[in-house]
Amino acid sequence: MADFIDNIPQVPRINPNAHLILSETGEVCSWVGSEVFVLEGIQPSIIRELLVLIDGVRPLETIYAELADSSDRNYLNEIILALSKLNIIEEVVTETPPQNHSWDLPIAPAQIHQKAIALLGNHQLLDPLDKTFAAAGFHNRRAFYLKNFESCQTSKFRALQQERILVNGTLAYLSSLAPTAYQDSLDSVSISGLCQLFKEFDFVVCALEGVPFQALLDVNKSALASGTPCLFVTASQETALIGPTVIRGVTACFGCRVITLEGLPSVFQDIWPQLSTPIVAKADSRLLSSVAQACLEEAISLLGPTLTPTRATNVLKITGQGDRTVKRLLPSSECHECAPRLDEPLGVIERSAIAAAAEEIGRIWPNSPKAAIRPAADAYQTVGILGGGTAGYLTALAFRAFRPDIKVTLLESSAIPVIGVGEATTPELVKFLHSPRFLGLDIVDFYQRVRPTWKLGIKFQWGLPDDYEFTFPFQRGRLLESLLYESTLNNQSLGAMLMSADRAPIFDRGDGTPLSLLHQIRWAYHLDNRRFVRYLQEEAIAAGIQHIDVQICDAQMSADGETITYLITEDGRKLTYDLYIDCSGFRSLLLEQKLGSKFVSYQDTLSTDQAIAATVPHNGTVKPYTLAETMNNGWCWNIPFEDADHRGYVFSSAFCSVDQALEEMRAKNPGMGDPWVVKFRSGRHEHFWKGNVVAIGNSYAFVEPLESTAIHMIVLELELLLTNLPASKRDEGIKSVLNRKMSDRWDALRWFLGIHYKFNHRLSTPFWQAANRDTDVSGAIERLALFSERAPLSYRNSLFYTLHPPEFFSDDHSYDTLLAGQQVSARFVEPVEDPATWQRQMAILKGLASTAMPQHEALSCLREKRQDLLYDFAKRRDSWLHTWLPA
């Protein structure tokens, strides 16, 4: 609580881009930007009383005094605190007049200077628009200051606002604005009246901020009815959106733009016409000038000799720094406002707009559409997940996110303990947890409750004898140049350099503020399994997933033995579902034991079958990588946490006993805690999906801990399953396709891991001699041959996939790193960078790396002081969180 006391505004005003809405269930919801929250325990009547007094003039103490008779001060303070924290209210600030920035106007042909231009506005965009068009020579123009819209003041609209919208901060904010002397003022205007007004002009620019979307739709109808081209300018947080130019019958209307581009929370879909458009926040003269210039460019294109609107098929996004992004836009098939009316006589402008739209259609049609599958009458309605743990809870949350229409029940026995081993992951889990495309879980909350550490890749003490080691970073870079010019792989990217320096991708600017490159340098998590599973369990229950604490002892088969009829609990109950997800781990109760899916062993490639795990104290350094250390009969992992390291020895029982492995492990790890032993087998089952059972996680396949692939493959299995879930329970074709694709992915992982054993010559013990001699890498023969002839493989277009590899470990760059790191003999291609260029780039990267923070310091900073940097990573559009794995 104390962290936010100083942030309570002493003279509060309502954030003009905030909404407070009363939901169907009577809960008060806030919507600011892309964030939606429920304000629990606050009565709508109290909020209404409070917000009436928040006018940007009254001090907070005055507001408290006026409500002293009806509400407790401490309660009001809690409400103000919550509203301030959610950015619904803010401190009144004195705005500094914007400075003038010099910029060049586009030249308007003399023959269009007399064209009639109408400029509609209600806020800060109107003045620069008017001045810009005046400077360009458009003297036959009129600027209209719009105060209100008659069609938005019907009794039905007002009633809906009163019941559903508790506050729309823009109304009070804009009421203080007055039109300048040269602007026409429209106190109230109807759709028909606006239509008649538009007919007097050749081109209209509508720049309205902080008004109900319904008002923009009214302007849209007026423009369509009048036939006058109308360009819309609206806001989106700290940016401006220019477009579309609405031309009757041939272009996208404003409604299409809203439907296509607005990131509206689904809970508000039914009332979005009554919600308000944003106001361009923190707008300085650069943004206003850029917007005005873009509007002038459109007017010149549309009214000039070519009569070709550039905003007929797209919307231009302009940031406060003047950066421009074009967002493609075409009419919606469900929109009746802008449906083409090609049977009407068309003028030159209409024909030009049609040509622009046809060109855009020709651009996008060759792209493969991602059409949704229509549900069938016998669609899957219930899913029973057998087993909890990481696989079970990730599956439950994935079904809730991808298919909220399906009722999900998770069956788990509290008598089965969670293995408390440290878990290393890959960037795929980060994407799956936090990307809005997948689970979209709050990243700051995750760091508080799970307390993960960062993993930038794997450091291998591998390949050559003595002290040789190399890094395998998640961030791709210039592998060949690092090898040729530095005689190491450890400088192939900034991420690799940070691994070598035991540093995190958070940098000290030198003035006490951190610089984050989390969005650029790929990373994964090191997780404490107990904390992680507890977090997933809590999230699943909060998401409404039914959880039953029960022991499943058997399952009843169908008469033909091809499906599960029902599950049988230890106390004799019968549980029936449409689809069963087997997350029972290595015992594979449903897939293997009941349905008899054959197990395909990887023993010829991966001969390890046991692991000893324990915690080991460290010296205070939280390493930003997983360590893979070669041991006499296998290898040892090190997964760092803030309090200790988690160590595990993966070995083959054919070459040593548990006691021998323990002795070797203790010798290298003084102070090691009590160990525990895990047995496993490497391989997969013949079926991923058989009958009405899908196996996720260890119940379907497992290789071994090398490269941290267990959760990585769970994520890929869930994405493949849920993006291709059939519409009908009778559909069979998709099952064989998914079985083939998933078996191919696991087989590819087998061959990738095999090259770790085939070419590791660090030790010459009996185990490693057998590994070098006998490891089956037959599935990687082609890649190995090509690497020997033209390394690195990633420096040319891949011969193994067209655009993206199926997953991270199928990537050519992954093979390059492991083969080059183990110094497998190869003929190299030409480097991309010459030595001088490489050295200049190295100087820059090494200079930055020298300012990086140790991981414990960086994590503490982000968790306790700069949570905004975590949110920035998750939200910014250039973050790797939103892209495919290969950079």
Side-chain angles (χ1 to χ4, degrees):
M1 183 70 68
D3 292 342
F4 299 100
I5 296 270
D6 295 335
N7 295 331
I8 293 181
Q10 297 308 303
V11 182
R13 75 164 187 175
I14 299 169
N15 179 353
N17 290 326
H19 293 86
L20 281 178
I21 302 165
L22 193 63
S23 70
E24 297 279 3
T25 59
E27 294 176 314
V28 180
C29 301
S30 73
W31 176 32
V32 183
S34 60
E35 299 289 349
V36 177
F37 295 96
V38 175
L39 281 67
E40 297 180 346
I42 302 178
Q43 295 296 323
S45 58
I46 300 290
I47 283 199
R48 285 197 180 98
E49 292 179 15
L50 189 60
L51 294 176
V52 164
L53 300 175
I54 297 178
D55 55 4
V57 178
R58 291 181 178 89
L60 191 58
E61 288 299 323
T62 302
I63 294 173
Y64 286 161
E66 294 192 32
L67 294 175
D69 295 336
S70 61
S71 301
D72 177 73
R73 178 187 175 93
N74 290 332
Y75 181 48
L76 291 175
N77 195 64
E78 290 293 329
I79 296 176
I80 290 290
L81 192 66
L83 297 180
S84 176
K85 184 178 178 181
L86 296 176
N87 296 319
I88 296 165
I89 60 173
E90 58 190 16
E91 184 75 62
V92 171
V93 294
T94 304
E95 296 187 0
T96 304
Q99 300 177 355
N100 291 325
H101 293 266
S102 58
W103 49 284
D104 296 328
L105 282 174
I107 300 175
Q111 62 267 35
I112 67 171
H113 284 163
Q114 295 307 310
K115 295 288 185 178
I117 306 292
L119 307 173
L120 278 67
N122 68 331
H123 195 24
Q124 55 187 339
L125 282 171
L126 184 59
D127 183 60
L129 278 172
D130 187 70
K131 291 179 179 178
T132 298
F133 275 83
F138 286 91
H139 303 298
N140 189 15
R141 74 189 189 285
R142 290 178 66 185
F144 295 94
Y145 178 84
L146 272 66
K147 285 186 175 180
N148 222 322
F149 293 83
E150 184 177 282
S151 59
C152 288
Q153 295 300 316
T154 63
S155 58
K156 180 178 180 181
F157 182 84
R158 288 201 306 274
L160 189 58
Q161 278 205 325
Q162 178 66 21
E163 294 172 9
R164 300 294 296 281
I165 303 180
L166 301 180
V167 59
N168 180 341
T170 58
L171 300 180
Y173 181 67
L174 294 177
S175 63
S176 62
L177 300 176
T180 59
Y182 61 83
Q183 292 169 328
D184 295 301
S185 178
L186 298 176
D187 291 332
S188 180
V189 63
S190 65
I191 295 177
S192 59
L194 204 57
C195 175
Q196 292 300 316
L197 179 67
F198 284 176
K199 288 182 178 180
E200 301 176 13
F201 295 91
D202 298 299
F203 181 57
V204 175
V205 179
C206 175
L208 298 179
E209 304 173 62
V211 300
F213 277 109
Q214 187 61 52
L216 273 297
L217 297 176
D218 292 342
V219 176
N220 181 70
K221 291 180 181 178
S222 300
L224 290 169
S226 70
T228 302
C230 180
L231 173 66
F232 284 88
V233 182
T234 49
S236 176
Q237 296 181 315
E238 297 185 8
T239 62
L241 303 175
I242 297 92
T245 299
V246 171
I247 301 174
R248 180 174 59 188
V250 293
T251 68
C253 66
F254 178 78
C256 282
R257 188 202 75 76
V258 172
I259 294 169
T260 305
L261 297 180
E262 290 300 326
L264 190 69
S266 59
V267 68
F268 302 147
Q269 288 288 350
D270 57 337
I271 59 168
W272 74 264
Q274 285 72 47
L275 299 174
S276 293
T277 64
I279 288 177
V280 178
K282 303 177 184 177
D284 61 15
S285 59
R286 287 175 296 180
L287 176 60
L288 300 179
S289 298
S290 297
V291 171
Q293 182 177 11
C295 293
L296 180 60
E297 290 169 354
E298 177 69 351
I300 293 172
S301 297
L302 189 139
L303 301 175
T306 61
L307 300 173
T308 303
T310 60
R311 299 277 86 83
T313 58
N314 60 64
V315 174
L316 179 65
K317 177 180 179 181
I318 298 181
T319 68
Q321 291 73 40
D323 298 328
R324 295 188 172 200
T325 304
V326 172
K327 291 183 172 289
R328 301 296 179 182
L329 180 67
L330 282 172
S332 168
S333 60
E334 299 178 358
C335 182
H336 301 294
E337 300 291 341
C338 63
R341 301 177 179 87
L342 302 183
D343 55 340
E344 299 180 2
L346 300 177
V348 177
I349 291 179
E350 286 85 352
R351 291 179 184 273
S352 297
I354 288 176
E359 182 179 352
E360 180 63 13
I361 291 171
R363 187 190 71 84
I364 65 174
W365 270 16
N367 298 329
S368 299
K370 296 181 179 178
I373 301 175
R374 295 181 182 275
D378 62 341
Y380 291 101
Q381 298 181 12
T382 60
V383 168
I385 302 173
L386 175 58
T390 305
Y393 283 109
L394 282 177
T395 300
L397 289 168
F399 265 94
R400 177 61 68 206
F402 283 79
R403 292 297 304 270
D405 56 308
I406 295 178
K407 182 180 179 181
V408 177
T409 303
L410 190 141
L411 311 168
E412 178 188 30
S413 173
S414 57
I416 300 176
V418 175
I419 298 176
V421 69
E423 192 98 55
T425 67
T426 69
E428 276 292 85
L429 178 66
V430 180
K431 290 172 56 181
F432 196 73
L433 291 175
H434 305 306
S435 170
R437 178 185 162 202
F438 299 109
L439 301 187
L441 297 173
D442 186 285
I443 190 169
V444 170
D445 179 58
F446 182 83
Y447 275 65
Q448 296 290 347
R449 292 160 61 188
V450 181
R451 300 185 72 84
T453 60
W454 290 311
K455 171 186 174 181
L456 303 181
I458 302 174
K459 177 178 284 188
F460 281 96
Q461 293 177 352
W462 209 271
L464 298 182
D466 301 324
D467 295 331
Y468 176 77
E469 61 184 24
F470 65 93
T471 57
F472 180 13
F474 291 129
Q475 186 193 26
R476 305 314 201 195
R478 288 284 188 255
L479 178 151
L480 179 58
E481 284 76 1
S482 180
L483 200 59
L484 292 180
Y485 304 142
E486 307 279 337
S487 299
T488 178
L489 287 180
N490 301 339
N491 289 335
Q492 66 165 294
S493 66
L494 180 57
M497 296 178 193
L498 295 178
M499 291 173 64
S500 298
D502 286 338
R503 300 284 163 155
I506 306 295
F507 304 85
D508 186 350
R509 293 180 184 269
D511 60 358
T513 62
L515 167 68
S516 170
L517 289 186
L518 291 175
H519 66 286
Q520 182 179 342
I521 299 173
R522 295 179 188 274
W523 45 271
Y525 286 136
H526 291 130
L527 301 168
D528 177 274
N529 190 257
R530 285 195 178 95
R531 284 200 297 263
F532 184 48
V533 171
R534 183 169 61 248
Y535 167 84
L536 294 178
Q537 183 182 54
E538 292 169 354
E539 288 299 308
I541 293 173
I545 294 163
Q546 184 178 10
H547 178 273
I548 302 178
D549 188 347
V550 65
Q551 179 74 46
I552 302 298
C553 62
D554 202 354
Q556 179 64 44
M557 309 289 294
S558 61
D560 61 5
E562 292 297 318
T563 59
I564 302 294
T565 304
Y566 55 81
L567 303 177
I568 303 173
T569 69
E570 198 172 40
D571 56 6
R573 283 179 289 165
K574 299 176 181 179
L575 303 177
T576 304
Y577 305 97
D578 294 336
L579 183 66
Y580 298 88
I581 309 296
D582 190 347
C583 297
S584 62
F586 290 124
R587 65 176 178 149
S588 191
L589 176 64
L590 301 183
L591 184 69
E592 181 176 350
Q593 293 187 35
K594 303 306 296 185
L595 295 183
S597 180
K598 179 183 176 183
F599 184 75
V600 180
S601 176
Y602 291 164
Q603 181 69 26
D604 290 344
T605 300
L606 305 170
S607 61
T608 57
D609 56 4
Q610 294 191 44
I612 297 172
T615 58
V616 176
H618 57 52
N619 60 2
T621 300
V622 185
K623 294 169 281 293
Y625 52 80
T626 300
L627 176 67
E629 176 186 1
T630 303
M631 302 284 277
N632 289 340
N633 300 288
W635 64 281
C636 194
W637 76 67
N638 183 70
I639 299 175
F641 291 95
E642 290 176 278
D643 55 347
D645 286 343
H646 285 212
R647 294 282 270 166
Y649 186 0
V650 181
F651 62 94
S652 171
S653 61
F655 287 85
C656 76
S657 66
V658 172
D659 289 340
Q660 289 172 323
L662 265 174
E663 182 181 356
E664 184 184 0
M665 189 176 178
R666 287 189 187 279
K668 288 203 171 188
N669 297 282
M672 189 179 86
D674 293 335
W676 61 95
V677 179
V678 179
K679 296 182 179 181
F680 59 86
R681 58 177 179 173
S682 297
R684 62 167 173 83
H685 286 86
E686 188 175 356
H687 302 87
F688 169 61
W689 187 334
K690 185 173 184 181
N692 57 352
V693 172
V694 177
I696 299 292
N698 296 343
S699 58
Y700 169 65
F702 183 77
V703 279
E704 66 139 85
L706 192 59
E707 292 284 358
S708 314
T709 59
I711 296 181
H712 173 89
M713 296 304 287
I714 289 173
V715 167
L716 294 183
E717 288 165 355
L718 289 173
E719 183 181 3
L720 189 66
L721 170 65
L722 287 166
T723 55
N724 294 283
L725 196 69
S728 167
K729 290 184 286 187
R730 295 171 297 166
D731 292 349
E732 292 293 330
I734 187 63
K735 296 179 183 179
S736 62
V737 175
L738 294 185
N739 285 335
R740 174 178 52 79
K741 290 183 71 68
M742 192 49 65
S743 64
D744 287 348
R745 289 187 178 184
W746 277 96
D747 289 349
L749 184 55
R750 169 191 185 176
W751 308 126
F752 178 70
L753 295 182
I755 68 174
H756 295 62
Y757 287 99
K758 189 72 173 179
F759 301 105
N760 182 10
H761 301 292
R762 187 179 188 87
L763 298 176
S764 59
T765 61
F767 170 83
W768 284 107
Q769 290 175 3
N772 298 158
R773 181 184 65 245
D774 301 331
T775 298
D776 178 10
V777 292
S778 56
I781 289 298
E782 287 184 335
R783 258 201 174 107
L784 294 173
L786 283 174
F787 181 86
S788 69
E789 299 170 358
R790 52 177 68 183
L793 299 173
S794 55
Y795 275 45
R796 298 171 60 87
N797 291 336
S798 180
L799 294 171
F800 301 94
Y801 45 86
T802 53
L803 183 60
H804 299 304
E807 48 83 39
F808 184 84
F809 300 110
S810 299
D811 187 13
D812 284 340
H813 194 282
S814 296
Y815 271 84
D816 287 337
T817 302
L818 263 297
L819 292 172
Q822 295 177 100
Q823 297 201 7
V824 175
S825 177
R827 182 191 312 127
F828 293 127
V829 299
E830 289 294 325
V832 176
E833 314 285 359
D834 62 79
T837 302
W838 171 259
Q839 291 302 327
R840 287 195 297 270
Q841 294 170 343
M842 276 294 96
I844 293 171
L845 294 180
K846 288 180 179 178
L848 180 60
S850 68
T851 69
M853 296 182 182
Q855 179 163 198
H856 72 277
E857 182 181 329
L859 283 170
S860 176
C861 174
L862 267 61
R863 280 199 307 254
E864 299 168 12
K865 300 177 182 178
R866 294 300 306 273
Q867 299 174 348
D868 58 299
L869 295 179
L870 291 173
Y871 283 131
D872 178 71
F873 159 75
K875 292 179 180 179
R876 60 187 300 162
R877 299 315 304 170
D878 61 342
S879 172
W880 61 262
L881 189 72
H882 310 295
T883 62
W884 189 251
L885 277 168

